[in-house]
């Protein structure tokens, strides 16, 4: 109901809409309308109310309020169900629990703050309150576990496109799962799954983006390797706009994969923005380390490399350092 | 403490041990000893108590009491922590939850009854109270998700060996995950995992065995495809003995894999008892179906097949029907 009030206000932005009209449109009493308006104000919406004229939406807060997001993205499949938390251990942990309990395909979990945010292999990840996007998407594709890596490539493509579109910031993609600006990490993607041997029960895509973090507040060793979108564009950026673009871009690329059984569109984007291809790379996997030249991405999103003895091989995933580009491990 | 009382009684089976001696050995009061004895009796242990002589263990119940199991298997790594439930949805579901919350490598979950027991791909599985073994093992090997199929082969080998050893029943292995007797299924293995793209967080091996189920009570359509160990050997069999052998065999084969990075011992057992090799098989995987001849197992536990056009290929997992052997899907 509150969403309907907000939707009506957003549709009539800058003009007044009377309490009577709102009450008629939504089918609730004028008192109920008044209560929802009060609640929206408390959430940070600036709403002007003048007697005889009605209500007018002046400014929306940059919260990741599901009601506002769902209005923006429309009847999307990705984000049809959005759960918003103030503070969580990590959105991937919540998403895995919800997935195990039957959450719908396309469910999105967003938090204002992560206490125990993790990067790949259980590393910690700094996620201060309200300054970033900490989000996980629950997916239930009918694929083999070996195909899960494709979802990481789809996500990298979607996030790179979305950040460019929403902020103008010219991000690059470091294969397989980092989004970078000027050689520093601004976003990490963590793909996890619950699976049987030849079928996936669920896949969780975790996306963590430093949006309005003040990089001056990073510890010294983090400053060298991480940045934020605010540092890139020189001003605060609406997190909601970025989330909206990510969900729309992701849905487009993901559905293309599900419907056409290939990820060509995503791979083309990953190649276009790649900072890895053509460079010398060090790839760590478990106890093995390979130094090689990154040649291309295969149609499955694997990295084609030429190793030191000149042989070509493909790599599904791994910890990658790019010579001259990223100092970070 | 109760375990220590039980342990002392088991060590001195058939002879009397006085309350005073028990109390001294265990370091508790004689009243405490008496209370533990009372509790053990309530759990089904037959304990004779004669004043001035003390206590004597006459008969143990066939429960899967962790105290009794842990005494039997000693300081095993697999089964060092055993959780026993009266009735659960499925032991794999419990195991996944516990694994997500940090359960130790080698933790075992056993239930007397499964309400929502599942076979592969979410199929239901009949698990009446007290008549079977419904058990899951939590593992945390440092392996790639693609290696998870090896764990299924290790389990199949361990279970086949254990049932043969504990009951004399000459079971066969239908690749990749069924144990069968006279062409009927007596045990299914369900391997699930939580993973990132190139590292496993945990693997759950679920083992369901029809032990003392009266096959006359199976529905008609189940009678054709399933059997029990009791039907094989013609009498009730101790579930505890089977669980003990499985945990010991599994540990041996699993540690061999972890330490030597191969599963040769397990594959040799899987080949020896295979009902699949040399036969024509139908393998279903997602929407594909292959008719082929089963030639061999690879050293990774994959099935090497010769397809209808005479080409050799390997299969990691799938739903297999063996011509002339198993009618069941």
């Amino acid at each position: 109901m509150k969403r309907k009030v907000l939707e009506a206000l957003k549709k009539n932005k800058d003009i007044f809409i009377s309490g009577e009209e709102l009450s008629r449109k939504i089918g609730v009493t004028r008192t109920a309308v008044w209560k929802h308006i009060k609640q929206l104000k408390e959430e940070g919406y600036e709403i002007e109310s003048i007697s005889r004229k009605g209500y007018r939406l002046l400014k929306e807060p940059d919260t990741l309020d599901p009601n506002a997001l769902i209005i923006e993205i429309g009847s999307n499949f990705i984000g049809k169900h959005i759960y918003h938390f103030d503070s969580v251990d990590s959105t991937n942990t919540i998403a895995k629990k919800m997935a195990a309990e039957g959450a719908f395909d396309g469910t999105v979990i967003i938090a204002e703050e992560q206490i125990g945010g993790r990067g790949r292999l259980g590393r910690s990840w700094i996620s201060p309150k309200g300054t970033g996007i900490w989000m996980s998407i629950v997916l239930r594709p009918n694929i083999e576990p070996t195909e899960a890596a494709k979802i990481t490539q789809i996500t990298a493509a979607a996030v790179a496109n979305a950040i460019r579109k929403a902020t103008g910031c010219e991000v690059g993609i470091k294969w397989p799962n980092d989004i970078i600006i000027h050689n520093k990490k601004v976003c990490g993607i963590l793909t996890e799954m619950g699976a049987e041997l030849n079928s996936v029960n669920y896949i969780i895509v975790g996306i963590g983006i430093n949006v309005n973090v003040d990089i001056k507040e990073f510890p010294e060793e983090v400053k060298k390797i991480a940045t934020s979108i605010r540092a890139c564009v020189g001003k605060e950026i609406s997190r909601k706009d970025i989330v909206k673009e990510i969900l729309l871009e992701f849905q487009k690329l993901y559905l293309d994969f599900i419907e056409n059984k290939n990820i060509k569109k995503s791979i083309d984007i990953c190649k276009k923005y790649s900072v890895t291809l053509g460079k010398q790379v060090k790839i760590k996997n478990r106890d093995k380390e390979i130094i090689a030249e990154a040649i291309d991405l295969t149609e499955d999103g694997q990295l084609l490399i030429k190793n030191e003895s000149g042989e070509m091989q493909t790599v599904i995933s791994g910890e990658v350092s790019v010579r001259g580009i990223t100092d970070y491990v």
Side-chain angles (χ1 to χ4, degrees), chain A residues 17-37:
Chain A
I17 177 164
S18 72
E20 198 184 324
E21 199 182 334
L22 274 173
S23 111
R24 205 177 51 239
K25 269 193 175 167
I26 298 158
V28 296
T29 65
R30 287 186 61 173
T31 319
V33 167
W34 176 82
K35 273 186 189 160
H36 290 306
I37 296 275

Side-chain angles (χ1 to χ4, degrees), chain A residues 212-237:
Chain A
N212 293 318
V213 186
D214 185 353
I215 55 168
K216 281 189 236 109
E217 285 174 15
F218 280 147
E220 276 311 312
E221 72 276 16
V222 176
K223 270 184 197 160
K224 291 181 213 151
I225 57 172
T227 187
S228 68
I229 290 178
R230 174 172 145 182
C232 172
V233 295
K235 61 172 186 186
E236 293 231 341
I237 288 286

Side-chain angles (χ1 to χ4, degrees), chain A residues 193-316:
Chain A
M193 63 180 150
E196 295 182 24
L197 296 183
N198 55 349
S199 78
V200 156
N201 292 331
Y202 60 81
I203 285 183
I204 306 297
V205 190
I207 300 166
I209 310 178
N210 298 329
V211 181
N212 293 318
V213 186
D214 185 353
I215 55 168
K216 281 189 236 109
E217 285 174 15
F218 280 147
E220 276 311 312
E221 72 276 16
V222 176
K223 270 184 197 160
K224 291 181 213 151
I225 57 172
T227 187
S228 68
I229 290 178
R230 174 172 145 182
C232 172
V233 295
K235 61 172 186 186
E236 293 231 341
I237 288 286
S238 157
R239 294 181 302 153
K240 191 164 58 189
D241 289 352
I242 299 175
V243 169
K244 173 189 155 188
E245 289 301 334
I246 290 175
L247 297 182
L248 292 173
E249 283 290 319
F250 182 86
Q251 165 155 312
K252 207 166 63 188
L253 294 171
Y254 179 71
L255 286 183
D256 187 55
F257 166 50
I258 296 302
E259 283 158 13
N260 305 317
K261 312 237 166 183
N262 74 56
I263 53 169
K264 190 174 180 318
K265 281 184 191 163
S266 298
I267 295 304
D268 286 347
I269 296 164
C270 288
K271 284 186 186 178
K272 190 169 154 195
Y273 299 138
S274 178
V275 299
T276 313
L277 298 180
K279 302 283 180 354
Q280 198 180 71
V281 292
K282 188 169 78 180
I283 302 169
K284 266 176 75 178
N285 249 327
R286 223 150 292 281
D287 31 12
K288 271 188 290 183
E289 204 174 270
I290 312 174
I291 306 273
E293 194 192 334
I295 305 292
D296 200 359
L297 294 184
T298 68
E299 59 183 18
D300 287 345
Q302 295 180 22
L303 187 66
L304 182 70
I305 56 172
K306 194 203 271 184
N307 69 20
E308 284 177 309
S309 21
E311 286 155 16
M312 303 291 269
Q313 67 181 99
T314 58
V315 186
I316 295 182

Side-chain angles (χ1 to χ4, degrees), chain A residues 117-251:
Chain A
R118 287 173 308 116
R120 286 196 314 112
L121 307 172
R123 298 215 186 88
S124 69
W125 172 262
I126 295 166
S127 347
K129 197 151 187 167
T131 59
I133 293 167
W134 327 115
M135 171 165 90
S136 297
I137 308 175
V138 177
L139 301 169
R140 299 190 175 280
N142 180 20
I143 61 172
E144 309 255 335
T146 46
E147 291 190 277
K150 294 180 182 173
I151 307 287
T152 306
Q153 297 308 299
I154 292 170
T155 312
V159 171
N161 257 359
I163 293 179
R164 284 174 166 252
K165 205 167 161 186
T167 73
C169 181
E170 297 186 344
V171 295
I173 300 175
K174 185 174 81 81
W175 186 90
N177 65 328
D178 288 338
I179 305 295
I180 71 167
I181 301 173
H182 303 313
N183 304 347
K184 288 177 179 174
K185 182 164 169 172
V186 69
C187 162
I189 295 161
L190 177 61
T191 307
E192 298 189 80
M193 63 180 150
E196 295 182 24
L197 296 183
N198 55 349
S199 78
V200 156
N201 292 331
Y202 60 81
I203 285 183
I204 306 297
V205 190
I207 300 166
I209 310 178
N210 298 329
V211 181
N212 293 318
V213 186
D214 185 353
I215 55 168
K216 281 189 236 109
E217 285 174 15
F218 280 147
E220 276 311 312
E221 72 276 16
V222 176
K223 270 184 197 160
K224 291 181 213 151
I225 57 172
T227 187
S228 68
I229 290 178
R230 174 172 145 182
C232 172
V233 295
K235 61 172 186 186
E236 293 231 341
I237 288 286
S238 157
R239 294 181 302 153
K240 191 164 58 189
D241 289 352
I242 299 175
V243 169
K244 173 189 155 188
E245 289 301 334
I246 290 175
L247 297 182
L248 292 173
E249 283 290 319
F250 182 86
Q251 165 155 312

